[in-house]
Amino acid sequence: MLAADGPVNAEIPNGRCFPAFHAVLCSKKSPMRTFIFDMDGTLADTMPTHQLAWDALLPELGISVDRDDFFSWSAGLTNREIFPRLLGADVPIAEINRLSDYKESLFRELYRSQMSLVQGADAFLRRTTAAGYARGLGTAAPPHNVDLVLDGLNLRHHFQAIVCNADVTHGKPDPEIFLLAAKRLGALPADCVVFEDAPAGIEAARRAGMKCVVITSTLTREQVEALNNAQHILHVVSDFTDEALSALFA
Protein backbone atom coordinates (compact mmCIF):
# COMPACT_ATOMS: atom_id res chain seq x y z
CA MET A 1 0.00 0.00 0.00
CA LEU A 2 1.03 3.61 -0.44
CA ALA A 3 2.77 5.25 2.48
CA ALA A 4 2.05 8.92 3.04
CA ASP A 5 5.02 11.25 3.40
CA GLY A 6 2.96 13.53 5.64
CA PRO A 7 -0.64 14.57 6.31
CA VAL A 8 -2.67 14.88 3.14
CA ASN A 9 -4.25 18.27 2.45
CA ALA A 10 -7.88 18.10 3.54
CA GLU A 11 -8.95 20.06 0.46
CA ILE A 12 -7.92 17.32 -1.94
CA PRO A 13 -11.16 16.05 -3.52
CA ASN A 14 -12.34 12.48 -3.17
CA GLY A 15 -8.92 11.15 -2.15
CA ARG A 16 -7.81 11.06 -5.77
CA CYS A 17 -4.55 12.84 -5.03
CA PHE A 18 -1.67 10.62 -3.95
CA PRO A 19 0.76 11.53 -1.15
CA ALA A 20 3.52 12.60 -3.54
CA PHE A 21 1.34 15.51 -4.64
CA HIS A 22 1.19 16.93 -1.12
CA ALA A 23 4.78 18.13 -1.37
CA VAL A 24 3.98 19.86 -4.65
CA LEU A 25 0.98 21.60 -3.12
CA CYS A 26 3.14 22.84 -0.26
CA SER A 27 5.73 24.42 -2.55
CA LYS A 28 5.33 28.01 -3.76
CA LYS A 29 5.40 27.01 -7.41
CA SER A 30 5.76 23.61 -9.01
CA PRO A 31 8.55 23.43 -11.62
CA MET A 32 6.93 20.37 -13.19
CA ARG A 33 6.11 21.83 -16.57
CA THR A 34 7.29 18.90 -18.70
CA PHE A 35 4.88 16.06 -19.40
CA ILE A 36 6.00 12.75 -20.92
CA PHE A 37 3.29 10.43 -22.19
CA ASP A 38 3.30 6.72 -22.76
CA MET A 39 1.34 5.82 -25.90
CA ASP A 40 -0.32 2.39 -25.73
CA GLY A 41 -3.10 2.34 -23.16
CA THR A 42 -2.33 5.88 -22.00
CA LEU A 43 -3.07 8.14 -24.96
CA ALA A 44 -4.37 5.57 -27.42
CA ASP A 45 -6.87 2.84 -26.60
CA THR A 46 -4.68 0.12 -28.09
CA MET A 47 -4.20 -2.51 -25.40
CA PRO A 48 -7.21 -4.70 -26.29
CA THR A 49 -5.97 -4.77 -29.88
CA HIS A 50 -2.45 -5.72 -28.82
CA GLN A 51 -3.97 -8.56 -26.83
CA LEU A 52 -5.84 -9.77 -29.92
CA ALA A 53 -2.59 -9.74 -31.89
CA TRP A 54 -0.81 -11.78 -29.21
CA ASP A 55 -3.80 -14.14 -29.04
CA ALA A 56 -3.40 -14.79 -32.77
CA LEU A 57 0.38 -15.22 -32.69
CA LEU A 58 1.11 -17.24 -29.57
CA PRO A 59 -0.87 -20.37 -30.55
CA GLU A 60 1.06 -20.42 -33.84
CA LEU A 61 4.22 -20.64 -31.74
CA GLY A 62 2.76 -23.34 -29.50
CA ILE A 63 2.81 -21.01 -26.50
CA SER A 64 0.07 -20.65 -23.90
CA VAL A 65 0.18 -17.82 -21.37
CA ASP A 66 -1.96 -16.47 -18.58
CA ARG A 67 -3.19 -13.13 -19.91
CA ASP A 68 -2.88 -11.23 -16.64
CA ASP A 69 0.58 -12.60 -15.90
CA PHE A 70 1.75 -11.91 -19.45
CA PHE A 71 0.56 -8.32 -19.25
CA SER A 72 2.12 -7.78 -15.84
CA TRP A 73 5.65 -8.50 -17.09
CA SER A 74 5.49 -7.65 -20.79
CA ALA A 75 3.71 -4.28 -20.98
CA GLY A 76 6.35 -1.62 -21.54
CA LEU A 77 9.06 -4.00 -22.72
CA THR A 78 10.30 -4.02 -26.29
CA ASN A 79 9.61 -7.09 -28.43
CA ARG A 80 13.34 -7.87 -28.49
CA GLU A 81 12.99 -8.31 -24.71
CA ILE A 82 9.64 -10.14 -24.78
CA PHE A 83 10.34 -12.86 -27.36
CA PRO A 84 13.49 -14.29 -25.73
CA ARG A 85 11.54 -14.68 -22.50
CA LEU A 86 8.72 -16.44 -24.34
CA LEU A 87 10.90 -18.65 -26.53
CA GLY A 88 14.19 -19.01 -24.69
CA ALA A 89 17.28 -16.87 -24.37
CA ASP A 90 19.09 -18.24 -27.44
CA VAL A 91 16.61 -17.09 -30.09
CA PRO A 92 18.55 -15.59 -33.06
CA ILE A 93 18.03 -11.86 -33.49
CA ALA A 94 16.80 -12.42 -37.05
CA GLU A 95 14.01 -14.63 -35.72
CA ILE A 96 13.12 -12.12 -33.02
CA ASN A 97 12.89 -9.40 -35.65
CA ARG A 98 10.74 -11.59 -37.90
CA LEU A 99 8.31 -12.45 -35.12
CA SER A 100 8.20 -8.88 -33.91
CA ASP A 101 7.41 -7.57 -37.39
CA TYR A 102 4.68 -10.19 -37.77
CA LYS A 103 3.07 -9.47 -34.40
CA GLU A 104 3.08 -5.70 -34.96
CA SER A 105 1.70 -6.06 -38.48
CA LEU A 106 -1.19 -8.06 -36.98
CA PHE A 107 -1.73 -5.25 -34.47
CA ARG A 108 -1.74 -2.51 -37.12
CA GLU A 109 -4.12 -4.45 -39.38
CA LEU A 110 -6.58 -4.84 -36.52
CA TYR A 111 -6.20 -1.35 -35.09
CA ARG A 112 -6.63 0.65 -38.31
CA SER A 113 -10.35 -0.04 -38.34
CA GLN A 114 -10.94 0.90 -34.70
CA MET A 115 -8.52 3.68 -33.86
CA SER A 116 -9.50 5.69 -30.81
CA LEU A 117 -8.01 7.86 -28.09
CA VAL A 118 -8.36 7.44 -24.36
CA GLN A 119 -11.18 9.81 -23.42
CA GLY A 120 -10.13 13.43 -23.07
CA ALA A 121 -6.57 12.90 -24.33
CA ASP A 122 -6.70 15.35 -27.23
CA ALA A 123 -8.29 18.12 -25.15
CA PHE A 124 -5.74 17.57 -22.38
CA LEU A 125 -2.86 17.80 -24.84
CA ARG A 126 -4.30 21.03 -26.23
CA ARG A 127 -4.51 22.36 -22.68
CA THR A 128 -0.83 21.62 -22.12
CA THR A 129 -0.02 23.52 -25.31
CA ALA A 130 -2.01 26.54 -24.16
CA ALA A 131 -0.23 26.40 -20.78
CA GLY A 132 3.18 26.36 -22.44
CA TYR A 133 4.18 22.94 -21.10
CA ALA A 134 6.78 20.83 -22.90
CA ARG A 135 5.46 17.50 -24.14
CA GLY A 136 7.22 14.28 -25.04
CA LEU A 137 6.20 10.77 -26.04
CA GLY A 138 8.02 7.86 -24.41
CA THR A 139 6.93 4.47 -25.73
CA ALA A 140 8.35 0.99 -26.21
CA ALA A 141 6.35 0.69 -29.43
CA PRO A 142 8.15 0.30 -32.79
CA PRO A 143 8.30 3.23 -35.23
CA HIS A 144 5.56 1.93 -37.57
CA ASN A 145 3.12 1.69 -34.66
CA VAL A 146 4.05 5.17 -33.48
CA ASP A 147 3.47 6.53 -36.97
CA LEU A 148 0.07 4.82 -37.21
CA VAL A 149 -1.14 6.17 -33.88
CA LEU A 150 0.31 9.67 -34.03
CA ASP A 151 -0.68 10.33 -37.63
CA GLY A 152 -3.91 8.33 -37.64
CA LEU A 153 -5.16 10.14 -34.54
CA ASN A 154 -3.59 13.51 -35.47
CA LEU A 155 -1.38 13.67 -32.38
CA ARG A 156 2.10 14.22 -33.76
CA HIS A 157 1.95 18.01 -33.63
CA HIS A 158 1.50 17.89 -29.86
CA PHE A 159 4.98 16.49 -29.19
CA GLN A 160 8.34 18.23 -29.20
CA ALA A 161 10.21 14.96 -28.61
CA ILE A 162 9.37 11.36 -29.48
CA VAL A 163 11.21 8.31 -28.15
CA CYS A 164 10.32 4.78 -29.28
CA ASN A 165 11.93 1.34 -29.13
CA ALA A 166 14.30 2.14 -32.01
CA ASP A 167 15.92 4.85 -29.88
CA VAL A 168 16.81 2.77 -26.82
CA THR A 169 18.47 -0.43 -25.71
CA HIS A 170 16.12 -1.22 -22.84
CA GLY A 171 12.36 -1.04 -22.47
CA LYS A 172 10.51 -0.24 -19.28
CA PRO A 173 10.88 -0.60 -16.28
CA ASP A 174 14.36 0.59 -17.22
CA PRO A 175 14.17 4.42 -17.17
CA GLU A 176 16.04 4.86 -20.46
CA ILE A 177 12.96 5.80 -22.52
CA PHE A 178 11.83 8.54 -20.15
CA LEU A 179 15.32 9.86 -19.46
CA LEU A 180 16.01 10.19 -23.19
CA ALA A 181 12.68 11.97 -23.70
CA ALA A 182 13.56 14.42 -20.91
CA LYS A 183 17.01 14.98 -22.41
CA ARG A 184 15.53 15.74 -25.83
CA LEU A 185 13.14 18.19 -24.20
CA GLY A 186 15.95 19.84 -22.25
CA ALA A 187 14.26 19.03 -18.94
CA LEU A 188 15.54 17.73 -15.64
CA PRO A 189 13.93 14.44 -14.51
CA ALA A 190 12.66 16.11 -11.33
CA ASP A 191 10.72 18.60 -13.49
CA CYS A 192 8.87 15.85 -15.42
CA VAL A 193 5.52 14.16 -14.93
CA VAL A 194 5.02 10.83 -16.70
CA PHE A 195 1.57 9.62 -17.77
CA GLU A 196 1.38 5.82 -17.72
CA ASP A 197 -1.00 2.88 -17.54
CA ALA A 198 1.23 -0.16 -16.95
CA PRO A 199 3.24 -1.37 -13.94
CA ALA A 200 6.55 -1.37 -15.85
CA GLY A 201 6.01 2.19 -17.01
CA ILE A 202 5.04 3.37 -13.54
CA GLU A 203 8.23 1.83 -12.18
CA ALA A 204 10.29 3.32 -15.03
CA ALA A 205 9.07 6.77 -14.04
CA ARG A 206 10.16 6.16 -10.45
CA ARG A 207 13.60 4.95 -11.52
CA ALA A 208 13.92 8.03 -13.74
CA GLY A 209 13.26 10.28 -10.73
CA MET A 210 9.98 11.55 -12.19
CA LYS A 211 6.46 11.90 -10.82
CA CYS A 212 3.67 9.87 -12.39
CA VAL A 213 -0.02 10.08 -13.24
CA VAL A 214 -1.65 6.69 -13.74
CA ILE A 215 -4.46 6.17 -16.25
CA THR A 216 -6.50 3.14 -15.19
CA SER A 217 -7.11 1.77 -18.67
CA THR A 218 -5.31 -1.47 -17.81
CA LEU A 219 -5.02 -1.45 -14.00
CA THR A 220 -7.67 -0.82 -11.39
CA ARG A 221 -7.14 1.85 -8.76
CA GLU A 222 -6.82 -0.92 -6.16
CA GLN A 223 -4.06 -2.59 -8.18
CA VAL A 224 -2.21 0.73 -8.42
CA GLU A 225 -2.51 1.29 -4.68
CA ALA A 226 -1.08 -2.19 -4.08
CA LEU A 227 2.08 -1.46 -6.10
CA ASN A 228 5.37 -1.25 -4.25
CA ASN A 229 7.43 1.95 -4.43
CA ALA A 230 4.48 4.08 -5.53
CA GLN A 231 5.24 7.25 -3.58
CA HIS A 232 5.98 9.10 -6.82
CA ILE A 233 2.38 8.76 -8.04
CA LEU A 234 0.49 12.05 -8.08
CA HIS A 235 -2.94 10.97 -9.34
CA VAL A 236 -4.80 7.84 -10.39
CA VAL A 237 -7.55 8.68 -12.89
CA SER A 238 -9.76 6.77 -15.28
CA ASP A 239 -9.04 9.12 -18.19
CA PHE A 240 -8.02 12.67 -19.06
CA THR A 241 -11.42 14.18 -18.25
CA ASP A 242 -10.87 13.79 -14.49
CA GLU A 243 -10.93 17.24 -12.83
CA ALA A 244 -8.15 16.15 -10.47
CA LEU A 245 -5.72 16.77 -13.32
CA SER A 246 -6.48 20.49 -13.19
CA ALA A 247 -4.19 20.66 -10.17
CA LEU A 248 -1.25 20.00 -12.50
CA PHE A 249 -1.83 23.42 -14.06
CA ALA A 250 -2.08 25.35 -10.79
Side-chain angles (χ1 to χ4, degrees), residues 54-106:
W54 283 114
D55 287 347
L57 173 61
L58 292 180
E60 293 184 22
L61 302 177
I63 296 173
S64 176
V65 298
D66 178 270
R67 275 188 167 193
D68 291 339
D69 178 67
F70 179 64
F71 167 76
S72 70
W73 67 260
S74 68
L77 293 179
T78 63
N79 284 337
R80 61 180 175 269
E81 294 168 305
I82 294 173
F83 278 108
R85 183 162 173 176
L86 286 172
L87 300 173
D90 297 327
V91 183
I93 187 62
E95 179 65 2
I96 292 174
N97 290 339
R98 184 188 72 81
L99 291 172
S100 178
D101 289 346
Y102 179 42
K103 182 267 169 180
E104 299 308 335
S105 68
L106 288 173

Side-chain angles (χ1 to χ4, degrees), residues 53-244:
W54 283 114
D55 287 347
L57 173 61
L58 292 180
E60 293 184 22
L61 302 177
I63 296 173
S64 176
V65 298
D66 178 270
R67 275 188 167 193
D68 291 339
D69 178 67
F70 179 64
F71 167 76
S72 70
W73 67 260
S74 68
L77 293 179
T78 63
N79 284 337
R80 61 180 175 269
E81 294 168 305
I82 294 173
F83 278 108
R85 183 162 173 176
L86 286 172
L87 300 173
D90 297 327
V91 183
I93 187 62
E95 179 65 2
I96 292 174
N97 290 339
R98 184 188 72 81
L99 291 172
S100 178
D101 289 346
Y102 179 42
K103 182 267 169 180
E104 299 308 335
S105 68
L106 288 173
F107 162 76
R108 291 191 295 272
E109 182 180 353
L110 292 166
Y111 189 62
R112 280 191 181 94
S113 64
Q114 52 189 11
M115 297 180 69
S116 62
L117 286 168
V118 170
Q119 189 173 359
D122 186 62
F124 185 83
L125 288 168
R126 284 189 272 109
R127 185 176 184 181
T128 66
T129 301
Y133 284 26
R135 300 164 307 282
L137 186 77
T139 175
H144 290 314
N145 290 15
V146 174
D147 290 343
L148 174 65
V149 171
L150 293 189
D151 297 331
L153 294 172
N154 192 30
L155 295 178
R156 189 179 296 275
H157 65 282
H158 288 298
F159 300 104
Q160 298 143 315
I162 296 170
V163 176
C164 70
N165 76 346
D167 300 307
V168 298
T169 302
H170 304 291
K172 306 164 188 175
D174 191 282
E176 184 180 7
I177 288 174
F178 293 143
L179 289 174
L180 181 56
K183 181 179 180 180
R184 289 181 175 179
L185 291 166
L188 295 173
D191 295 340
C192 298
V193 177
V194 168
F195 293 77
E196 260 289 353
D197 70 302
I202 297 166
E203 173 62 13
R206 186 190 70 83
R207 294 185 189 182
M210 301 175 182
K211 301 301 184 185
C212 188
V213 171
V214 180
I215 307 295
T216 57
S217 57
T218 49
L219 294 173
T220 65
R221 182 180 179 86
E222 290 71 28
Q223 288 173 318
V224 176
E225 291 176 345
L227 293 174
N228 294 322
N229 300 315
Q231 290 84 358
H232 65 303
I233 295 175
L234 301 180
H235 294 288
V236 178
V237 296
S238 59
D239 56 46
F240 289 94
T241 66
D242 196 306
E243 282 300 316

Side-chain angles (χ1 to χ4, degrees), residues 11-32:
E11 295 180 0
I12 295 172
N14 300 325
R16 292 178 298 189
C17 184
F18 271 54
F21 200 57
H22 177 63
V24 178
L25 289 174
C26 291
S27 65
K28 291 182 179 180
K29 181 176 177 62
S30 169
M32 295 187 295

